[in-house]
């Protein structure tokens, strides 16, 4: 009997207790933004590491602590670091939840509750995969370190401090976000970074009547619109000098992986009620998710939605830029500042949160092993995604430690992470446990 069948049997035999363990983890609040339940969650997470055969440690970072568990492997075996996060998003509007967010509910083959998919259910599957390896295979095939971040949902401001105290692994695995939108299993090689910022333009000392003052008093809303027009043209080209100068072109392996990804563009666009994609033209669907972007998130005159016939006295644009391999957060912020100094020195620039991009090439040594192990455990050939469109703090490993990182998501497409009624399909949880074990075995075979 192969390892996947052995671990699958282990999961079936213990399913009631494994699901109870999942429910207990979800029922523990751990909202890093407010602090709700964080101390208790750290203690709970330490016990999960211990029950999975790891030696646990609470690593103080200056913020919410990181939880680290370690276990030795056979002599000369690869060292694998598994990353996850034990903090969760705030519940959001309680009246939109069918059942309370921290009272997990099993229904229709899913578990509902805050953190089910993002990220407690997924990293618990990884931990249970390690536990299964000990019980059905007699031990771990690789040396393992598990790091559970307590601040991912607030941008992981102290993760690098925790990472710098670790022994350098050979590679990093993480399970977060959903599988491919087609519902297919996937292996993810990178994530885009992000910078967020506000542009604020001020006018008169107070809001003014547009009949009495229109055409006389400067209108900050028009000023803001014109400033934004200097930053991106109608064809979608970002006009900020230096913004994308260091973008690293896609490798042959990345281009090949993108070409193999399935997508029905008209159907996807119809699903969101539009008929065409954002400029520039000539780019494929997935090319757009591996390139840098500049998005205006909101425009406001801070009028509380009253829409009076006035000349506003303030206008605000909240924006983000998604970054890709080669771009650096500090250099992008510097480029924006320099652009505003040249074109609009009167506009206030307020930098916000940021996260660096991370990139692992398909040509990297461990890629085939991760793909092979994921296929064995998940029961289907996974798609290879060069990068997620969104952002995760994986650069703390690729940049600080200089090691490749691989994402193997165990959550359904409609997990509703960050939204009411977040959920995890139980079949993905079960298969994730098996895949966590088979990926470890495949990596060990390459490392011999």
């Amino acid at each position: 009997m192969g390892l996947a069948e052995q671990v699958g049997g282990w999961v079936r035999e213990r399913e009631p207790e494994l699901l109870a363990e999942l429910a207990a983890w979800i029922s523990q609040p751990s909202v890093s933004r407010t602090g709700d339940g964080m101390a208790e969650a750290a203690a709970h997470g330490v016990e999960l590491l211990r029950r999975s055969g790891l030696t646990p440690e609470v690593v103080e970072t200056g913020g919410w602590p990181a939880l680290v568990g370690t276990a030795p492997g056979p002599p000369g075996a690869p060292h694998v670091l598994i990353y996850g996060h034990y903090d969760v998003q705030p519940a959001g509007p309680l009246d939109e939840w069918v059942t309370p967010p921290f009272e997990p509910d099993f229904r229709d083959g899913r578990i509902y509750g805050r953190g089910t998919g993002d990220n407690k259910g997924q990293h618990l599957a990884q931990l249970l995969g390690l536990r299964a390896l000990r019980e059905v295979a007699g031990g771990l095939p690789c040396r393992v370190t598990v790091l559970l971040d307590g601040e991912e949902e607030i941008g992981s401001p102290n993760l690098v401090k925790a990472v710098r105290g670790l022994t350098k692994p050979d590679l990093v695995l993480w399970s977060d976000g959903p599988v491919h939108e087609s519902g297919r299993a996937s292996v993810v090689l990178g994530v885009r970074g992000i910078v967020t910022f506000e542009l604020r333009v001020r006018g008169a000392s107070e809001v003014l009547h547009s009949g009495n003052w229109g055409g006389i008093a400067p209108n900050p809303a028009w000023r803001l619109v014109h400033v934004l027009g200097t930053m991106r043209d109608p064809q979608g080209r970002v006009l900020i000098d230096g913004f994308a100068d260091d973008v690293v072109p896609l490798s042959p392996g990345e281009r090949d992986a993108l070409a193999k990804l399935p997508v029905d563009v008209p159907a996807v666009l119809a699903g969101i009620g539009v008929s065409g994609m954002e400029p520039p033209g000539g780019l494929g669907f997935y090319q757009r998710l591996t390139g840098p972007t500049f998005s205006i998130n909101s425009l406001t005159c801070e009028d509380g939605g009253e829409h009076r016939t006035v000349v506003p006295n303030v206008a605000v644009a909240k924006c983000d830029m998604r970054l890709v391999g080669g771009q650096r957060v500090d250099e992008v912020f510097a480029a924006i500042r320099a652009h505003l100094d040249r074109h609009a020195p009167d506009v206030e620039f307020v930098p916000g949160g940021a996260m660096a991009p991370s990139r692992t090439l398909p040509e990297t040594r461990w890629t085939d092993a991760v793909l092979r192990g994921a296929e064995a455990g998940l029961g289907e050939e996974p798609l290879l995604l060069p990068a997620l469109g969104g952002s995760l703090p994986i650069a703390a490993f690729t940049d600080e430690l200089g090691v490749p990182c691989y994402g193997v998501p165990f959550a359904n497409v409609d997990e509703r992470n960050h939204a009411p009624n977040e959920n995890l399909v139980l079949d993905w949880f079960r298969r994730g446990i098996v895949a966590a074990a088979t990926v470890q075995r495949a990596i060990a075979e390459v490392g011999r």
Side-chain angles (χ1 to χ4, degrees):
M1 183 184 296
L3 181 62
E5 290 76 16
Q6 289 179 293
V7 177
W10 182 90
V11 172
R12 288 189 294 275
E13 290 173 8
R14 291 160 178 77
E15 180 163 324
E17 63 190 79
L18 299 181
L19 294 183
E21 196 163 349
L22 172 60
W25 195 205
I26 301 307
S27 66
Q28 172 57 60
S30 52
V31 184
S32 53
R33 190 177 301 175
T34 65
D36 182 26
M38 289 298 293
E40 296 83 356
H44 192 130
V46 164
E47 185 58 28
L48 286 177
L49 295 173
R50 183 178 290 110
R51 288 207 298 266
S52 299
L54 303 165
T55 301
E57 178 186 3
V58 177
V59 178
E60 300 297 339
T61 65
W64 299 117
L67 311 179
V68 176
T70 55
H79 179 191
V80 180
L81 189 151
I82 299 170
Y83 170 77
H85 63 93
Y86 69 94
D87 67 324
V88 300
Q89 282 281 317
L94 295 178
D95 61 347
E96 295 183 20
W97 286 83
V98 174
T99 52
F102 296 109
E103 296 179 17
D105 184 50
F106 292 95
R107 61 181 188 271
D108 303 322
R110 306 181 184 224
I111 180 173
Y112 288 80
R114 177 59 83 224
T116 48
D118 187 18
N119 165 262
K120 289 178 176 176
Q122 299 206 54
H123 69 240
L124 180 59
Q126 287 281 358
L127 290 174
L128 293 174
L130 300 179
R131 199 181 304 177
L133 281 167
R134 290 185 179 280
E135 296 190 17
V136 305
L140 302 182
C142 298
R143 176 184 175 186
V144 173
T145 297
V146 174
L147 190 159
L148 300 182
D149 185 0
E151 300 182 314
E152 195 273 347
E153 297 293 5
I154 54 173
S156 297
N158 296 294
L159 180 59
V160 169
K161 295 179 185 178
V163 169
R164 286 174 178 166
L166 300 176
T167 301
K168 181 178 177 178
D170 292 294
L171 70 159
V172 174
L173 298 174
W174 52 272
S175 296
D176 204 340
V179 298
H180 186 259
E181 61 186 26
S182 65
R184 286 268 301 276
S186 56
V187 169
V188 184
L189 296 179
V191 295
R192 291 198 291 190
I194 187 172
V195 297
T196 66
F197 59 93
E198 291 184 13
L199 302 180
R200 302 184 70 91
V201 182
R202 301 187 185 278
S205 58
E206 58 184 305
V207 174
L208 300 169
H209 188 285
S210 64
N212 296 336
W213 292 100
I216 298 174
N219 189 315
W222 279 115
R223 177 64 174 147
L224 180 59
V225 169
H226 295 147
V227 169
L228 290 167
T230 71
M231 302 175 78
R232 204 191 87 153
D233 69 15
Q235 288 72 47
R237 293 174 298 190
V238 178
L239 304 177
I240 300 170
D241 290 343
F243 165 69
D245 288 355
D246 296 324
V247 170
V248 178
L250 295 175
S251 74
E254 287 173 314
R255 290 196 298 270
D256 182 60
L258 288 174
K260 294 177 180 177
L261 294 176
V263 63
D264 183 339
V265 175
V268 171
L269 296 180
I272 61 171
V274 299
S275 58
M277 290 192 283
E278 179 80 350
L283 294 179
F285 185 89
Y286 288 108
Q287 279 181 288
R288 296 167 182 269
L289 295 176
T290 56
T293 61
F294 176 18
S295 298
I296 300 171
N297 309 134
S298 66
L299 293 170
T300 178
C301 292
E302 298 188 341
D303 60 1
E306 292 178 338
H307 306 299
R308 295 169 291 160
T309 52
V310 298
V311 177
N313 66 334
V314 63
V316 181
K318 295 190 176 184
C319 307
D320 75 53
M321 291 178 167
R322 298 286 173 167
L323 313 182
V324 298
Q327 291 180 291
R328 294 176 55 88
V329 166
D330 54 351
E331 292 175 355
V332 170
F333 274 144
I336 299 169
R337 286 191 181 96
H339 180 90
L340 294 172
D341 286 345
R342 286 193 301 272
H343 295 272
D346 58 312
V347 173
E348 182 184 2
F349 172 62
V350 184
M355 195 175 287
S358 174
R359 187 180 188 217
T360 292
L361 295 179
E363 295 87 347
T364 304
R365 175 189 182 192
W366 306 102
T367 303
D368 288 343
V370 175
L371 286 167
R372 186 172 64 253
E375 180 175 0
L378 296 174
E380 61 177 298
E381 182 181 1
L383 297 168
L384 186 63
L385 277 64
L388 282 182
S391 302
L392 288 168
I394 307 304
F397 305 105
T398 52
D399 293 1
E400 288 294 324
L401 299 180
V403 297
C405 294
Y406 297 91
V408 187
F410 299 148
N412 38 293
V413 173
D414 56 348
E415 63 171 323
R416 293 184 58 82
N417 47 335
H418 295 203
N421 302 308
E422 181 181 345
N423 68 91
L424 179 66
V425 169
L426 295 178
D427 188 55
W428 275 112
F429 178 65
R430 300 183 192 101
R431 293 162 67 196
I433 297 170
V434 180
T438 54
V439 168
Q440 291 284 333
R441 170 70 67 82
I443 290 168
E445 290 171 349
V446 171
R448 288 173 185 164

